[in-house]
Amino acid sequence: RYISTFRPSVKCEAEKNKAQWKTMGPAKVAVPSPKNFLQKHSKEPKLPARKKEQDRKKLPALSVPRRTDRPVMGIQSKNNFINTNAVAAITGLPKKPQPIYVDRRQGDKYLLETSGLVPKYIKKKEYGVTPKYVIQRNEEMKRAQKEYEDSILEHLKKRAMKRLSDEERRSLLQGLKKNWEELYREFQGLSVEIDTIPKKIYKEKLETQMKQLEHDIEVIEKHKVIYIANE
């Protein structure tokens, strides 16, 4: 039978390295005691214990005397408080009663000042005085109106426009009203029954002329400044 020449060396190494895995890691490990079990809140951080000296320093000042304090005895005052109070009551001004109002027959009283019935606003210094922002706004409006009129005058001078005076405007307005009254008199004189085509045409013509006159009168009364083109 064949026998390897390396058999003795292999057998020696196998006996030398037998069960090497049993010695991995520490050979002996301390087993925890069953008495040291995990308790509740044991992993929470714990604050250090307070010292008694710190607690005494941080005590708030008491507003009342302590139980061990003793009152100061033997102090007397020479002031006559009875006479002082009597003189103050005689020489003092009487208190004015608060103004009240009664809103029911049972006599329920309420303060008048907080009721809103006292006109406090008329006693203010600014009462009746035009506010500054209103004065400033009026001045700006006047300035803008003047600039607008100046620009229109320059524009009208370039285009040869004429501005109607107040007398011309008044006379024109009176003439338009007079024409409207004449047309209205003719309109009132129409027959009640309009059964022919000429009568119907004449009535429509009067209505159109009256509407046009009313529109012209309204425009002239609304605008105080009127410009017309020179012919």
Side-chain angles (χ1 to χ4, degrees):
R1 191 176 59 177
Y2 172 77
I3 298 173
S4 176
T5 56
F6 301 102
R7 181 177 180 181
S9 60
V10 171
K11 189 175 181 180
C12 182
E13 289 179 4
E15 289 178 358
K16 188 185 294 185
N17 299 326
K18 188 177 182 180
Q20 289 292 323
W21 57 273
K22 291 183 178 181
T23 60
M24 291 180 63
K28 293 182 179 181
V29 180
V31 180
S33 175
K35 295 181 179 180
N36 298 331
F37 56 88
L38 183 64
Q39 296 181 358
K40 188 177 182 180
H41 303 295
S42 60
K43 291 188 177 182
E44 294 180 359
K46 295 181 180 180
L47 298 175
R50 275 189 178 182
K51 295 181 180 180
K52 294 183 179 180
E53 296 179 358
Q54 293 180 355
D55 295 345
R56 290 177 183 175
K57 290 180 181 178
K58 293 183 179 179
L59 284 176
L62 298 176
S63 59
V64 295
R66 297 178 180 273
R67 186 177 60 180
T68 56
D69 294 345
R70 295 289 183 268
V72 181
M73 306 298 290
I75 296 176
Q76 296 181 358
S77 177
K78 295 181 180 180
N79 294 334
N80 192 346
F81 294 101
I82 297 175
N83 294 338
T84 304
N85 293 339
V87 171
I90 293 169
T91 59
L93 296 175
K95 292 183 179 180
K96 293 182 180 181
Q98 288 185 335
I100 58 175
Y101 73 98
V102 181
D103 61 347
R104 298 178 65 184
R105 290 185 295 176
Q106 285 77 6
D108 297 337
K109 298 179 181 180
Y110 303 95
L111 293 177
L112 184 63
E113 186 176 358
T114 58
S115 64
L117 301 174
V118 181
K120 293 183 179 180
Y121 58 91
I122 62 174
K123 299 179 181 179
K124 293 182 178 180
K125 295 181 180 179
E126 297 84 6
Y127 179 74
V129 180
T130 307
K132 294 182 180 179
Y133 74 92
V134 176
I135 298 173
Q136 185 179 359
R137 185 178 62 184
N138 293 337
E139 292 177 356
E140 291 177 357
M141 290 175 63
K142 289 180 181 179
R143 194 183 307 110
Q145 183 67 23
K146 186 177 180 181
E147 292 177 357
Y148 176 71
E149 290 179 357
D150 294 341
S151 63
I152 285 182
L153 287 174
E154 293 179 0
H155 183 69
L156 293 176
K157 286 178 182 178
K158 293 179 181 179
R159 293 197 173 188
M161 300 290 287
K162 179 184 177 183
R163 176 179 176 178
L164 287 180
S165 62
D166 294 339
E167 295 180 358
E168 292 175 348
R169 175 177 171 276
R170 197 178 301 109
S171 62
L172 178 61
L173 191 61
Q174 290 177 358
L176 291 174
K177 290 182 178 180
K178 186 177 181 181
N179 294 338
W180 184 87
E181 290 176 357
E182 292 177 358
L183 291 174
Y184 184 71
R185 194 179 298 111
E186 293 181 7
F187 184 80
Q188 291 290 329
L190 294 175
S191 59
V192 178
E193 185 179 357
I194 300 175
D195 51 355
T196 59
I197 295 177
K199 290 181 179 181
K200 187 180 295 185
I201 293 173
Y202 184 63
K203 180 184 177 183
E204 292 177 357
K205 181 181 177 182
L206 291 177
E207 289 178 349
T208 305
Q209 291 178 356
M210 288 173 64
K211 287 182 180 179
Q212 183 63 35
L213 287 173
E214 288 174 358
H215 179 264
D216 296 341
I217 291 170
E218 183 180 359
V219 169
I220 294 174
E221 287 180 346
K222 185 177 180 181
H223 300 88
K224 294 182 180 180
V225 180
I226 300 173
Y227 296 93
I228 58 175
N230 291 330
E231 296 180 355

PDB file of all heavy atoms in Angstrom, residues 29-47:
ATOM      1  N   VAL A  29     -15.643  35.711  29.626  1.00  0.00           N
ATOM      2  CA  VAL A  29     -16.450  36.935  29.591  1.00  0.00           C
ATOM      3  C   VAL A  29     -17.237  37.005  30.883  1.00  0.00           C
ATOM      4  O   VAL A  29     -17.857  36.006  31.298  1.00  0.00           O
ATOM      5  CB  VAL A  29     -17.405  36.950  28.377  1.00  0.00           C
ATOM      6  CG1 VAL A  29     -18.236  38.234  28.361  1.00  0.00           C
ATOM      7  CG2 VAL A  29     -16.624  36.833  27.091  1.00  0.00           C
ATOM      8  N   ALA A  30     -17.274  38.237  31.498  1.00  0.00           N
ATOM      9  CA  ALA A  30     -18.006  38.407  32.751  1.00  0.00           C
ATOM     10  C   ALA A  30     -19.505  38.375  32.465  1.00  0.00           C
ATOM     11  O   ALA A  30     -20.009  39.128  31.627  1.00  0.00           O
ATOM     12  CB  ALA A  30     -17.618  39.728  33.396  1.00  0.00           C
ATOM     13  N   VAL A  31     -20.207  37.485  33.120  1.00  0.00           N
ATOM     14  CA  VAL A  31     -21.647  37.342  32.930  1.00  0.00           C
ATOM     15  C   VAL A  31     -22.359  38.351  33.831  1.00  0.00           C
ATOM     16  O   VAL A  31     -22.033  38.444  35.026  1.00  0.00           O
ATOM     17  CB  VAL A  31     -22.086  35.901  33.271  1.00  0.00           C
ATOM     18  CG1 VAL A  31     -23.582  35.743  33.076  1.00  0.00           C
ATOM     19  CG2 VAL A  31     -21.330  34.911  32.428  1.00  0.00           C
ATOM     20  N   PRO A  32     -23.323  39.171  33.278  1.00  0.00           N
ATOM     21  CA  PRO A  32     -24.021  40.155  34.129  1.00  0.00           C
ATOM     22  C   PRO A  32     -24.866  39.471  35.189  1.00  0.00           C
ATOM     23  O   PRO A  32     -25.416  38.392  34.973  1.00  0.00           O
ATOM     24  CB  PRO A  32     -24.883  40.933  33.145  1.00  0.00           C
ATOM     25  CG  PRO A  32     -25.068  40.022  32.002  1.00  0.00           C
ATOM     26  CD  PRO A  32     -23.813  39.215  31.900  1.00  0.00           C
ATOM     27  N   SER A  33     -24.969  40.157  36.328  1.00  0.00           N
ATOM     28  CA  SER A  33     -25.756  39.614  37.432  1.00  0.00           C
ATOM     29  C   SER A  33     -27.246  39.790  37.156  1.00  0.00           C
ATOM     30  O   SER A  33     -27.661  40.830  36.611  1.00  0.00           O
ATOM     31  CB  SER A  33     -25.369  40.313  38.740  1.00  0.00           C
ATOM     32  OG  SER A  33     -26.209  39.874  39.781  1.00  0.00           O
ATOM     33  N   PRO A  34     -28.089  38.833  37.510  1.00  0.00           N
ATOM     34  CA  PRO A  34     -29.541  38.993  37.292  1.00  0.00           C
ATOM     35  C   PRO A  34     -30.165  40.078  38.151  1.00  0.00           C
ATOM     36  O   PRO A  34     -31.288  40.525  37.884  1.00  0.00           O
ATOM     37  CB  PRO A  34     -30.089  37.611  37.653  1.00  0.00           C
ATOM     38  CG  PRO A  34     -29.062  36.994  38.518  1.00  0.00           C
ATOM     39  CD  PRO A  34     -27.745  37.518  38.069  1.00  0.00           C
ATOM     40  N   LYS A  35     -29.444  40.555  39.159  1.00  0.00           N
ATOM     41  CA  LYS A  35     -29.994  41.619  39.998  1.00  0.00           C
ATOM     42  C   LYS A  35     -29.912  42.983  39.307  1.00  0.00           C
ATOM     43  O   LYS A  35     -30.707  43.880  39.595  1.00  0.00           O
ATOM     44  CB  LYS A  35     -29.234  41.675  41.328  1.00  0.00           C
ATOM     45  CG  LYS A  35     -29.424  40.429  42.173  1.00  0.00           C
ATOM     46  CD  LYS A  35     -28.667  40.546  43.487  1.00  0.00           C
ATOM     47  CE  LYS A  35     -28.872  39.293  44.346  1.00  0.00           C
ATOM     48  NZ  LYS A  35     -28.136  39.404  45.638  1.00  0.00           N
ATOM     49  N   ASN A  36     -28.952  43.138  38.374  1.00  0.00           N
ATOM     50  CA  ASN A  36     -28.789  44.421  37.675  1.00  0.00           C
ATOM     51  C   ASN A  36     -29.631  44.447  36.391  1.00  0.00           C
ATOM     52  O   ASN A  36     -29.121  44.512  35.287  1.00  0.00           O
ATOM     53  CB  ASN A  36     -27.312  44.637  37.343  1.00  0.00           C
ATOM     54  CG  ASN A  36     -26.466  44.700  38.584  1.00  0.00           C
ATOM     55  OD1 ASN A  36     -26.937  45.117  39.642  1.00  0.00           O
ATOM     56  ND2 ASN A  36     -25.200  44.292  38.457  1.00  0.00           N
ATOM     57  N   PHE A  37     -30.950  44.361  36.565  1.00  0.00           N
ATOM     58  CA  PHE A  37     -31.846  44.398  35.396  1.00  0.00           C
ATOM     59  C   PHE A  37     -32.144  45.865  35.031  1.00  0.00           C
ATOM     60  O   PHE A  37     -31.948  46.790  35.824  1.00  0.00           O
ATOM     61  CB  PHE A  37     -33.134  43.638  35.677  1.00  0.00           C
ATOM     62  CG  PHE A  37     -33.871  44.126  36.901  1.00  0.00           C
ATOM     63  CD1 PHE A  37     -34.799  45.155  36.801  1.00  0.00           C
ATOM     64  CD2 PHE A  37     -33.628  43.562  38.144  1.00  0.00           C
ATOM     65  CE1 PHE A  37     -35.458  45.610  37.906  1.00  0.00           C
ATOM     66  CE2 PHE A  37     -34.288  44.013  39.259  1.00  0.00           C
ATOM     67  CZ  PHE A  37     -35.216  45.048  39.157  1.00  0.00           C
ATOM     68  N   LEU A  38     -32.669  46.062  33.811  1.00  0.00           N
ATOM     69  CA  LEU A  38     -32.964  47.407  33.303  1.00  0.00           C
ATOM     70  C   LEU A  38     -34.216  47.944  33.985  1.00  0.00           C
ATOM     71  O   LEU A  38     -35.273  47.325  33.929  1.00  0.00           O
ATOM     72  CB  LEU A  38     -33.165  47.357  31.785  1.00  0.00           C
ATOM     73  CG  LEU A  38     -33.404  48.700  31.103  1.00  0.00           C
ATOM     74  CD1 LEU A  38     -32.188  49.597  31.256  1.00  0.00           C
ATOM     75  CD2 LEU A  38     -33.712  48.486  29.628  1.00  0.00           C
ATOM     76  N   GLN A  39     -34.075  49.108  34.617  1.00  0.00           N
ATOM     77  CA  GLN A  39     -35.192  49.704  35.329  1.00  0.00           C
ATOM     78  C   GLN A  39     -35.809  50.853  34.521  1.00  0.00           C
ATOM     79  O   GLN A  39     -35.213  51.361  33.578  1.00  0.00           O
ATOM     80  CB  GLN A  39     -34.713  50.215  36.694  1.00  0.00           C
ATOM     81  CG  GLN A  39     -34.213  49.110  37.616  1.00  0.00           C
ATOM     82  CD  GLN A  39     -33.776  49.646  38.963  1.00  0.00           C
ATOM     83  OE1 GLN A  39     -33.815  50.853  39.186  1.00  0.00           O
ATOM     84  NE2 GLN A  39     -33.370  48.759  39.861  1.00  0.00           N
ATOM     85  N   LYS A  40     -37.007  51.280  34.926  1.00  0.00           N
ATOM     86  CA  LYS A  40     -37.738  52.342  34.238  1.00  0.00           C
ATOM     87  C   LYS A  40     -37.043  53.694  34.457  1.00  0.00           C
ATOM     88  O   LYS A  40     -36.609  54.001  35.569  1.00  0.00           O
ATOM     89  CB  LYS A  40     -39.178  52.393  34.765  1.00  0.00           C
ATOM     90  CG  LYS A  40     -40.094  53.319  33.987  1.00  0.00           C
ATOM     91  CD  LYS A  40     -41.507  53.237  34.550  1.00  0.00           C
ATOM     92  CE  LYS A  40     -42.447  54.115  33.749  1.00  0.00           C
ATOM     93  NZ  LYS A  40     -43.816  54.048  34.292  1.00  0.00           N
ATOM     94  N   HIS A  41     -36.966  54.491  33.376  1.00  0.00           N
ATOM     95  CA  HIS A  41     -36.355  55.822  33.381  1.00  0.00           C
ATOM     96  C   HIS A  41     -34.874  55.780  33.776  1.00  0.00           C
ATOM     97  O   HIS A  41     -34.318  56.796  34.197  1.00  0.00           O
ATOM     98  CB  HIS A  41     -37.083  56.776  34.344  1.00  0.00           C
ATOM     99  CG  HIS A  41     -38.538  56.920  34.049  1.00  0.00           C
ATOM    100  ND1 HIS A  41     -39.019  57.492  32.892  1.00  0.00           N
ATOM    101  CD2 HIS A  41     -39.637  56.535  34.772  1.00  0.00           C
ATOM    102  CE1 HIS A  41     -40.340  57.482  32.898  1.00  0.00           C
ATOM    103  NE2 HIS A  41     -40.748  56.898  34.028  1.00  0.00           N
ATOM    104  N   SER A  42     -34.225  54.617  33.659  1.00  0.00           N
ATOM    105  CA  SER A  42     -32.818  54.532  34.054  1.00  0.00           C
ATOM    106  C   SER A  42     -31.889  55.141  33.004  1.00  0.00           C
ATOM    107  O   SER A  42     -30.772  55.546  33.335  1.00  0.00           O
ATOM    108  CB  SER A  42     -32.429  53.072  34.296  1.00  0.00           C
ATOM    109  OG  SER A  42     -32.613  52.315  33.101  1.00  0.00           O
ATOM    110  N   LYS A  43     -32.354  55.252  31.737  1.00  0.00           N
ATOM    111  CA  LYS A  43     -31.514  55.801  30.678  1.00  0.00           C
ATOM    112  C   LYS A  43     -31.716  57.301  30.475  1.00  0.00           C
ATOM    113  O   LYS A  43     -31.058  57.902  29.644  1.00  0.00           O
ATOM    114  CB  LYS A  43     -31.793  55.074  29.363  1.00  0.00           C
ATOM    115  CG  LYS A  43     -31.309  53.632  29.356  1.00  0.00           C
ATOM    116  CD  LYS A  43     -31.433  53.027  27.992  1.00  0.00           C
ATOM    117  CE  LYS A  43     -30.879  51.598  27.954  1.00  0.00           C
ATOM    118  NZ  LYS A  43     -30.947  51.009  26.611  1.00  0.00           N
ATOM    119  N   GLU A  44     -32.674  57.916  31.208  1.00  0.00           N
ATOM    120  CA  GLU A  44     -32.897  59.346  31.068  1.00  0.00           C
ATOM    121  C   GLU A  44     -31.801  60.120  31.787  1.00  0.00           C
ATOM    122  O   GLU A  44     -31.284  59.678  32.816  1.00  0.00           O
ATOM    123  CB  GLU A  44     -34.257  59.721  31.649  1.00  0.00           C
ATOM    124  CG  GLU A  44     -35.429  59.130  30.867  1.00  0.00           C
ATOM    125  CD  GLU A  44     -36.761  59.529  31.466  1.00  0.00           C
ATOM    126  OE1 GLU A  44     -36.745  60.243  32.496  1.00  0.00           O
ATOM    127  OE2 GLU A  44     -37.797  59.128  30.918  1.00  0.00           O
ATOM    128  N   PRO A  45     -31.441  61.331  31.243  1.00  0.00           N
ATOM    129  CA  PRO A  45     -30.382  62.112  31.914  1.00  0.00           C
ATOM    130  C   PRO A  45     -30.860  62.639  33.256  1.00  0.00           C
ATOM    131  O   PRO A  45     -31.986  63.113  33.403  1.00  0.00           O
ATOM    132  CB  PRO A  45     -30.104  63.255  30.929  1.00  0.00           C
ATOM    133  CG  PRO A  45     -31.341  63.362  30.111  1.00  0.00           C
ATOM    134  CD  PRO A  45     -31.903  61.976  30.009  1.00  0.00           C
ATOM    135  N   LYS A  46     -30.020  62.563  34.240  1.00  0.00           N
ATOM    136  CA  LYS A  46     -30.364  62.993  35.595  1.00  0.00           C
ATOM    137  C   LYS A  46     -29.657  64.314  35.895  1.00  0.00           C
ATOM    138  O   LYS A  46     -28.488  64.503  35.581  1.00  0.00           O
ATOM    139  CB  LYS A  46     -29.936  61.928  36.602  1.00  0.00           C
ATOM    140  CG  LYS A  46     -30.695  60.617  36.451  1.00  0.00           C
ATOM    141  CD  LYS A  46     -30.246  59.610  37.498  1.00  0.00           C
ATOM    142  CE  LYS A  46     -31.017  58.289  37.347  1.00  0.00           C
ATOM    143  NZ  LYS A  46     -30.601  57.299  38.364  1.00  0.00           N
ATOM    144  N   LEU A  47     -30.428  65.261  36.481  1.00  0.00           N
ATOM    145  CA  LEU A  47     -29.881  66.553  36.857  1.00  0.00           C
ATOM    146  C   LEU A  47     -29.107  66.424  38.163  1.00  0.00           C
ATOM    147  O   LEU A  47     -29.443  65.589  39.017  1.00  0.00           O
ATOM    148  CB  LEU A  47     -31.004  67.573  37.023  1.00  0.00           C
ATOM    149  CG  LEU A  47     -31.826  67.864  35.763  1.00  0.00           C
ATOM    150  CD1 LEU A  47     -32.968  68.796  36.096  1.00  0.00           C
ATOM    151  CD2 LEU A  47     -30.960  68.466  34.679  1.00  0.00           C
TER     152      LEU A  47
END
